């Protein structure tokens, strides 16, 4: 049986080389540590580095800050100062203190604008939310071409209010409009629509519903799809009908969304302007003059900028109350609930 040849043994130069490198690295480390102990960091270096980082950060943030200051903060402060002055945007202003606000309280045109705005809001907000909930319940079912129906309902919301106003001004024209042509074929007398003081505001509400309901439908539909199917199925197994299912299962799940829509639609309704400006310009006989149109009319048509600024801040205060009161009410209710639970635990 043949034996394998004995392998040649060569000196391990690599190991010697590695050992030499290790010794060299250790020497360099000791030299670096001694040099580091010998060199102390400059006392102002961290502070200069922090200043450089802050300057770089402000360089990136400054365009946004300038835009916010120029378009939001400065105009708000200037209009607040303007509301205490008599200013026609041409001659030097005159300080009148609370005179503009006292005049607002006695102005019948402002009172009419407030009534028109409140009526518009009272009609538009609940109708838009109710119709949005109804359509969302229908579109949440498995029906044919449901995607097409959802798109058709949402498209009017994307159209600008100016385009809507122009479109409906042609359709509702009392002489040449398509609406009166259809009514004539049905045997109904011609209507004034936007030219009738008794109908104009209601017609504006109808136009707003045509466009604003789509937003409520989309938001409510998204909330409906988050309702647990197991919860709905359990309610059905317990014998709950459609009304009980809607009242005791679906509506409680939609409560946060409905509160959001209530606030959102109310704020939008109180700020309606462009639709009024394009269609009626506050007429006929001031029947569609809303608060924002009244502000524009006073500031840029009658050139009483201080008076218009006072009206704008009256509206801003109303919007602030609408946004703050629900939060305060919710906080107070939460504290009472916590106190009640703590008392029950004791």
């Amino acid at each position: 049986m043949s034996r394998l040849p004995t392998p040649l043994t060569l000196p391990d130069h690599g190991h010697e080389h590695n050992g030499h490198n290790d010794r060299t690295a250790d020497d360099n480390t000791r030299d670096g540590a001694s040099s580091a102990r010998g060199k102390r960091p400059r006392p102002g270096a961290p502070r200069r580095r922090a200043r450089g980082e802050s300057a770089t950060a402000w360089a990136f943030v400054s365009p946004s800050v300038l835009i916010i200051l120029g378009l939001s903060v400065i105009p708000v402060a200037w209009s607040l100062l303007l509301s205490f002055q008599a200013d026609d945007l041409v001659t030097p202003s005159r300080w009148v203190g609370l005179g503009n606000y006292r005049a607002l309280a006695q102005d019948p045109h402002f009172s009419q604008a407030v009534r028109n705005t409140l009526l518009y809001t009272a009609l538009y907000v609940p109708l838009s939310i109710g119709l949005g909930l109804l359509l969302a319940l229908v579109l949440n079912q498995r029906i044919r071409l449901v995607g097409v129906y959802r798109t058709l309902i949402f498209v009017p919301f994307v159209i600008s209010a100016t385009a809507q106003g122009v479109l409906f001004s042609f359709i509702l024209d009392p002489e040449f409009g398509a609406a009166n042509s259809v009514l004539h074929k049905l045997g109904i007398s011609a209507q004034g629509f936007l030219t009738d003081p008794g109908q104009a505001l209601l017609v504006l509400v109808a136009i707003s519903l045509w466009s604003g309901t789509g937003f409520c439908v989309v938001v409510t539909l998204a909330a409906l799809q988050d309702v647990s199917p197991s919860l709905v199925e359990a309610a059905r197994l317990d014998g709950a009908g459609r009304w009980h299912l809607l009242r005791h299962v679906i509506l409680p799940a939609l409560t946060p969304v409905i509160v959001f829509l209530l606030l959102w639609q109310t704020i939008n309704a109180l700020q309606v302007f462009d639709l009024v400006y394009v269609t009626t310009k506050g007429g006929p006989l001031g029947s569609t003059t809303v608060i924002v149109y009244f502000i524009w009319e006073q500031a840029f048509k009658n050139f009483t900028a201080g008076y218009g600024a006072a009206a704008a801040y009256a509206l801003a205060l109303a919007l602030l109350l609408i946004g703050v009161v629900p939060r305060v009410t919710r906080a107070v209710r939460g504290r009472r609930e916590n106190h009640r639970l703590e008392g029950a635990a004791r």
Side-chain angles (χ1 to χ4, degrees):
M1 183 174 182
S2 61
R3 300 177 57 186
L4 296 175
T6 304
L8 296 177
T9 303
L10 299 177
D12 191 359
H13 297 288
H15 180 72
E16 294 177 358
H17 183 69
N18 291 338
H20 175 70
N21 290 341
D22 292 340
R23 288 193 299 273
T24 305
D26 293 338
D27 295 341
N28 292 336
T29 303
R30 286 193 297 270
D31 295 340
S34 61
S35 62
R37 287 193 299 268
K39 295 182 180 180
R40 295 180 180 179
R42 297 179 182 179
R47 188 174 302 176
R48 285 195 298 269
R49 188 181 301 110
R51 289 178 180 175
E53 293 177 355
S54 299
T56 304
W58 277 108
F60 283 104
V61 174
S62 57
S64 300
V65 173
L66 291 177
I67 291 174
I68 293 173
L69 289 176
L71 299 179
S72 299
V73 178
I74 294 177
V76 167
W78 179 73
S79 60
L80 177 61
L81 181 64
L82 189 64
S83 67
F84 298 106
Q85 300 176 1
D87 194 338
D88 59 358
L89 300 177
V90 178
T91 59
S93 59
R94 177 171 52 89
W95 185 267
V96 294
L98 297 176
N100 289 326
Y101 294 95
R102 296 192 189 98
L104 280 177
Q106 302 173 359
D107 190 350
H109 298 289
F110 181 71
S111 302
Q112 184 184 22
V114 171
R115 287 194 302 269
N116 292 336
T117 305
L118 293 179
L119 179 59
Y120 175 88
T121 303
L123 292 174
Y124 170 70
V125 174
L127 287 176
S128 63
I129 296 176
L131 288 175
L133 176 61
L134 179 61
L135 292 173
L137 290 172
V138 174
L139 295 176
N140 197 37
Q141 306 297 322
R142 293 181 179 178
I143 57 179
R144 188 178 181 183
L145 300 177
V146 65
V148 177
Y149 300 145
R150 293 175 181 176
T151 303
L152 292 177
I153 290 175
F154 185 70
V155 163
F157 176 74
V158 182
I159 302 174
S160 66
T162 304
Q164 296 172 29
V166 173
L167 174 64
F168 281 97
S169 294
F170 284 106
I171 294 175
L172 302 176
D173 187 270
E175 296 182 2
F176 309 105
N180 273 332
S181 298
V182 174
L183 293 178
H184 178 71
K185 292 181 180 180
L186 296 176
I188 302 174
S189 60
Q191 302 295 317
F193 295 120
L194 295 173
T195 60
D196 187 349
Q199 299 178 2
L201 188 63
L202 300 178
V203 172
L204 290 181
V205 172
I207 296 174
S208 300
L209 288 175
W210 177 76
S211 61
T213 305
F215 177 77
C216 297
V217 171
V218 171
V219 175
T220 309
L221 184 60
L224 281 174
Q225 293 177 352
D226 286 338
V227 177
S228 176
S230 60
L231 186 62
V232 176
E233 187 65 25
R236 287 177 177 172
L237 292 176
D238 289 339
R242 291 184 178 180
W243 170 249
H244 292 87
L245 186 65
L246 176 64
R247 180 180 178 184
H248 298 289
V249 178
I250 295 178
L251 286 181
L254 297 181
T255 299
V257 174
I258 293 175
V259 172
F260 162 74
L261 288 175
L262 182 64
L263 294 175
W264 181 268
Q265 296 293 80
T266 301
I267 292 174
N268 286 336
L270 292 177
Q271 298 182 97
V272 61
F273 168 74
D274 37 10
L275 184 62
V276 176
Y277 179 81
V278 174
T279 55
T280 63
K281 290 188 168 49
L285 301 177
S287 59
T288 59
T289 300
V290 291
I291 294 179
V292 179
Y293 186 83
F294 176 85
I295 294 170
W296 174 86
E297 191 175 37
Q298 296 300 321
F300 301 105
K301 189 175 180 180
N302 299 336
F303 294 102
T304 53
Y307 192 57
Y313 267 90
L315 175 61
L317 180 60
L319 296 176
L320 180 64
L321 291 176
I322 291 173
V324 170
V325 168
R327 290 180 175 271
V328 174
T329 304
R330 189 181 304 173
V332 172
R333 187 179 300 174
R335 289 180 181 178
R336 289 179 180 177
E337 187 69 19
N338 292 334
H339 289 314
R340 187 180 66 80
L341 294 176
E342 290 176 359
R346 292 176 183 175

